[in-house]
Amino acid sequence: MNQDRKPIRSGMGRSTPDRIFVQGRDLVRDVIGTLNLGDMAYLEMTGRLPDAHQSRVFNAILVTLVEHGMTPMAIATRLVYLGAPESLQAAVAAGLCGMGTTFAGTAEGAARMLQSAWDEHDGQDADTVAHGIVADFRQQGRSIPGLGHNLHKPRDPRTARLFEVARQEGYAGRYVDLMTAIGRQAEATHGRSLPVNATGAIGALCCELGISWKAARGIAVIGRAVGLVGHLVEEQGNPIAREIWRRTEEETSCQDETSARIGQ
């Protein structure tokens, strides 16, 4: 054996013929029937069980992005299932691939922005740091992650509730303060409604819980995967994907015909 090789080690889980261990805990004795899904996810991501306060905040984060109606991700999931009903997991994966900087994925960017800001400017007040962040993003011509929503204006109701839960559980600290200050400063600078949206709130609360920004999008993935499975269950009983496909094809074809007549 090559002595220079790095040993392969993992503390996630292991199995014997009669036992399964997860993060050092016996799955049958300590986990099944004891932990809810959110607490299990917290254990997997942090290596420790949440206390009651952390559990409530983390579970609030998880359920926030489960469902938001007929989003592009949900439509993609339903259409892939229409084409491959034997592969439910592929349909869910197709929807999750649409989680990015436009839809549901900006918790990662918000958390990264907040963690980097306090790493660099620890000791300053939130308003001063927020002013610098907004100015930097404006100079670069970039959108600030976690701000703005096409529908929820002037405020995102999910954000207010998440921050309320965080305050009740003692997890509304400097990251929540900074995200809120960034929202205020951005609205003042740009002169329009730019509410802290759900992903901005989730990014801030991930920071409050000590979760790395690199994992923040993963939390959104966990929640949205549940919602996409729900869409597929509805699709099985009340299919609409074929109608979406048929009408899209029909209406785009009509547009082509109209354009051809205009060009004659």
Side-chain angles (χ1 to χ4, degrees):
M1 179 177 178
N2 188 339
Q3 297 300 315
D4 295 331
R5 283 186 182 176
K6 178 182 176 180
I8 299 175
R9 299 285 186 270
S10 172
M12 298 300 293
R14 63 184 179 87
S15 302
T16 66
D18 60 345
R19 298 181 72 183
I20 301 168
F21 295 92
V22 178
Q23 296 285 356
R25 290 167 173 80
D26 188 295
L27 177 67
V28 174
R29 186 187 66 204
D30 302 325
V31 177
I32 297 176
T34 300
L35 298 186
N36 60 48
L37 182 59
D39 289 356
M40 182 65 183
Y42 190 93
L43 173 63
E44 283 282 271
M45 293 180 66
T46 68
R48 62 184 186 276
L49 289 174
D51 62 28
H53 305 290
Q54 294 165 336
S55 176
R56 186 164 181 246
V57 173
F58 189 79
N59 276 281
I61 291 171
L62 279 185
V63 303
T64 297
L65 293 181
V66 168
E67 186 55 61
H68 206 254
M70 203 59 65
T71 61
M73 283 178 278
I75 294 170
T77 289
R78 288 177 182 254
L79 290 174
V80 170
Y81 187 73
L82 173 65
E86 73 283 359
S87 187
L88 181 146
Q89 72 276 15
V92 173
L96 292 177
C97 285
M99 179 174 287
T101 54
T102 301
F103 296 106
T106 51
E108 175 186 295
R112 184 176 188 178
M113 172 183 69
L114 296 171
Q115 289 181 1
S116 298
W118 279 134
D119 286 346
E120 185 176 350
H121 302 290
D122 190 23
Q124 296 186 24
D125 65 276
D127 287 327
T128 300
V129 177
H131 183 276
I133 289 172
V134 172
D136 286 345
F137 273 90
R138 189 178 193 186
Q139 183 178 20
Q140 297 170 30
R142 296 166 54 207
S143 297
I144 300 174
L147 293 188
H149 199 278
N150 64 317
L151 175 63
H152 300 308
K153 298 174 182 179
R155 295 291 177 261
D156 188 329
R158 300 169 296 178
T159 298
R161 179 57 176 158
L162 281 168
F163 286 171
E164 179 184 22
V165 171
R167 284 193 297 272
Q168 290 170 351
E169 303 302 327
Y171 277 91
R174 63 178 187 163
Y175 295 104
V176 170
D177 289 344
L178 180 55
M179 192 72 234
T180 303
I182 290 170
R184 287 196 306 267
Q185 182 63 44
E187 290 189 341
T189 299
H190 295 281
R192 59 190 175 91
S193 176
L194 287 169
V196 176
N197 59 38
T199 58
I202 289 171
L205 296 189
C206 284
C207 296
E208 297 287 357
L209 289 171
I211 295 171
S212 168
W213 65 264
K214 296 178 182 179
R217 189 177 301 194
I219 295 174
V221 166
I222 294 168
R224 188 52 59 93
V226 173
L228 295 179
V229 172
H231 274 269
L232 292 179
V233 172
E234 183 183 70
E235 183 70 22
Q236 291 163 358
N238 179 31
I240 62 174
R242 187 172 295 277
E243 180 69 7
I244 293 172
W245 167 42
R246 184 189 67 77
R247 287 174 58 180
T248 301
E249 184 177 44
E250 180 182 281
E251 293 177 24
T252 54
S253 296
C254 289
Q255 181 65 38
D256 291 341
E257 293 171 5
T258 300
S259 299
R261 286 196 298 272
I262 293 174
Q264 290 176 352

